[in-house]
Amino acid sequence: MGRAPCCDKANVKKGPWSPEEDAKLKEFIEKYGTGGNWIALPQKAGLKRCGKSCRLRWLNYLRPNIRHGEFSDDEDRIICTLYATIGSRWSVIAAQLPGRTDNDIKNYWNTKLKKKLFTMFPSMPFQPPLPPSNDHHTSHRFLNNSSSFNYTFSTPNFMNLDNPSQSLFVHDDHNLQSPILFPPQPPSTNLICNNIVNDNCYGYLGFQDDHQNICNSQMQQGMLMFGSTSCSSSEVEVGSCMGQIHHGNYNKDHEEKQKYQIKQEDYQTTLHDHFLGDQIQTQSFMTKNHITPLQNDLEEVKQLNFSSHLFHAGDENNATHYQKGMCSSYYY
DNA sequence: AAGGAACTCAACCGCCAGCCC
DNA sequence: AGGGCTGGCGGTTGAGTTCCT
């Protein structure tokens, strides 16, 4: 048995909306609101339309303060940054661009922006990150068997061109031919990856042999996406990555920095435990405790000007032990 | 000028989470 | 507790438009 239709398909009009229908819908909603029930609305408003169609028409076209037309460079940048970070979550991206709808942004990305980026950086595989898995069995499979990594991560990256050892690259594909992570001096091991998984974040570490290609492609992407600002080596904090995302314009006040600062001590201890020698031990090295201020998902992200769900940590002062690796986590 | 290809974008489809009964 | 319903969302479609040869 199939799913019950949301409306009587035979008796609803489909296709483009006429000006008369627009006027009817607009007038009704301005007068009575949606009444909290889109399915019942068309009948009340005298429209032969599916409730969902009404909702879409209102949200994407008729509601006040909708902006159509050219996207600005700033909007492009925001879309690219967010897409690289959270993927095709258009509604979240739209929430950062007042007046833009998720549909508009999705169309813009699919028809223009993506092509623009490919034209500028043809060798760059520009893929969104995979949404975090809710399947903890899947997640833990990585933790327990790094050599059989078969999951698609395709995630953002950002870098510090002044000091690549502080740059974060996270990327992957099914065939393990793309970088998992770029280390400045990669060991001659095949890919080893380490995933950090918990309820609110996941991330991973890894090495890859073909580091020159990684470097080249990721350099381009890093420049493209996030500029080349430095991040602090003494502070391991969200702020440093946000600065990069904002092309150096990021100005977090001290209090905010404190709020999101990761304890250097925790970080060092953890890395010492797991980065000795050329091998990364397959073990989670970040826990919820490290990210507590960030785990309240998207509302937090919005409040923080959209980018704080991305966390980057690096410290070259302890390079003897672990400059070969960086770490990353993504929060949803 | 014509017609085929490529592009755009409004609208639809179907899935899913959350709410309510 | 669980089944049905709804809103919200992302992916996809296809008619209309623009571009190219």
Side-chain angles (χ1 to χ4, degrees):
Chain A
M1 198 176 99
R3 179 188 171 77
C6 64
C7 56
D8 181 3
K9 301 281 182 195
N11 289 316
V12 296
K13 188 184 166 200
K14 288 167 75 171
W17 281 63
S18 67
E20 293 74 26
E21 287 177 308
D22 281 348
K24 259 187 186 176
L25 180 61
K26 198 158 187 275
E27 191 186 334
F28 183 87
I29 292 178
E30 282 171 355
K31 222 170 182 176
Y32 306 106
T34 65
N37 188 343
W38 284 105
I39 302 298
L41 187 144
Q43 199 180 3
K44 290 181 194 167
L47 287 161
K48 283 186 163 30
R49 288 277 182 175
C50 172
K52 279 190 163 191
S53 179
C54 293
R55 176 183 166 273
L56 208 66
R57 186 66 182 168
W58 173 255
L59 291 177
N60 286 343
Y61 206 82
L62 297 176
R63 75 182 151 103
N65 305 321
I66 290 285
R67 280 195 298 144
H68 293 289
E70 287 294 295
F71 281 72
S72 69
D73 288 347
D74 275 350
E75 287 177 315
D76 282 4
R77 194 156 43 240
I78 290 170
I79 294 167
C80 287
T81 302
L82 282 173
Y83 185 84
T85 308
I86 62 174
S88 57
R89 298 171 71 178
W90 304 117
S91 59
V92 177
I93 295 172
Q96 307 306 326
L97 300 173
R100 299 293 188 184
T101 69
D102 52 358
N103 210 37
D104 266 355
I105 294 168
K106 178 171 58 184
N107 282 332
Y108 180 57
W109 170 261
N110 285 329
T111 60
K112 292 180 184 167
L113 200 48
K114 191 164 63 178
K115 285 174 193 164
K116 190 169 152 188
L117 293 175
F118 273 124
T119 304
M120 291 166 73
F121 303 98
S123 65
M124 245 291 306
F126 199 84
Q127 298 292 323
L130 196 77
S133 172
N134 291 325
D135 177 358
H136 284 231
H137 296 295
T138 303
S139 300
H140 284 293
R141 191 170 69 235
F142 309 138
L143 292 175
N144 295 333
N145 186 1
S146 63
S147 63
S148 67
F149 186 86
N150 61 353
Y151 196 63
T152 297
F153 283 99
S154 203
T155 52
N157 36 70
F158 54 93
M159 69 176 298
N160 171 4
L161 292 177
D162 299 322
N163 183 354
S165 73
Q166 287 196 312
S167 301
L168 169 67
F169 303 125
V170 187
H171 191 261
D172 186 25
D173 65 18
H174 283 299
N175 302 317
L176 301 179
Q177 286 169 357
S178 294
I180 292 299
L181 176 138
F182 169 63
Q185 295 175 329
S188 58
T189 57
N190 287 323
L191 171 73
I192 303 168
C193 65
N194 179 12
N195 297 275
I196 311 129
V197 182
N198 64 32
D199 289 345
N200 295 288
C201 86
Y202 71 102
Y204 50 92
L205 304 172
F207 294 146
Q208 221 267 1
D209 280 336
D210 188 13
H211 65 282
Q212 193 54 50
N213 289 341
I214 298 166
C215 184
N216 291 340
S217 65
Q218 297 292 358
M219 275 282 193
Q220 291 181 344
Q221 187 168 3
M223 291 167 69
L224 169 69
M225 294 302 301
F226 304 114
S228 60
T229 60
S230 307
C231 67
S232 163
S233 62
S234 57
E235 287 179 304
V236 181
E237 60 172 19
V238 173
S240 57
C241 78
M242 293 181 74
Q244 293 184 324
I245 288 173
H246 286 276
H247 291 255
N249 293 327
Y250 172 64
N251 265 321
K252 229 171 177 348
D253 62 49
H254 184 67
E255 190 181 326
E256 280 283 272
K257 281 187 176 181
Q258 288 293 322
K259 187 177 169 190
Y260 293 99
Q261 191 159 353
I262 309 295
K263 284 183 184 171
Q264 182 82 345
E265 197 177 285
D266 289 348
Y267 179 67
Q268 287 176 6
T269 301
T270 314
L271 289 181
H272 272 295
D273 285 348
H274 303 299
F275 275 78
L276 294 174
D278 281 346
Q279 299 289 313
I280 303 176
Q281 299 303 308
T282 303
Q283 190 172 341
S284 174
F285 70 98
M286 279 199 175
T287 67
K288 250 182 178 174
N289 292 337
H290 293 78
I291 59 162
T292 301
L294 300 176
Q295 65 192 15
N296 293 328
D297 68 34
L298 297 171
E299 280 313 306
E300 190 87 25
V301 172
K302 288 174 190 171
Q303 286 169 21
L304 285 166
N305 203 11
F306 71 72
S307 54
S308 68
H309 53 303
L310 186 108
F311 158 68
H312 170 213
D315 180 10
E316 81 279 20
N317 294 329
N318 294 281
T320 46
H321 288 298
Y322 51 79
Q323 78 166 181
K324 56 179 76 71
M326 291 292 133
C327 59
S328 69
S329 299
Y330 299 89
Y331 306 91
Y332 292 88

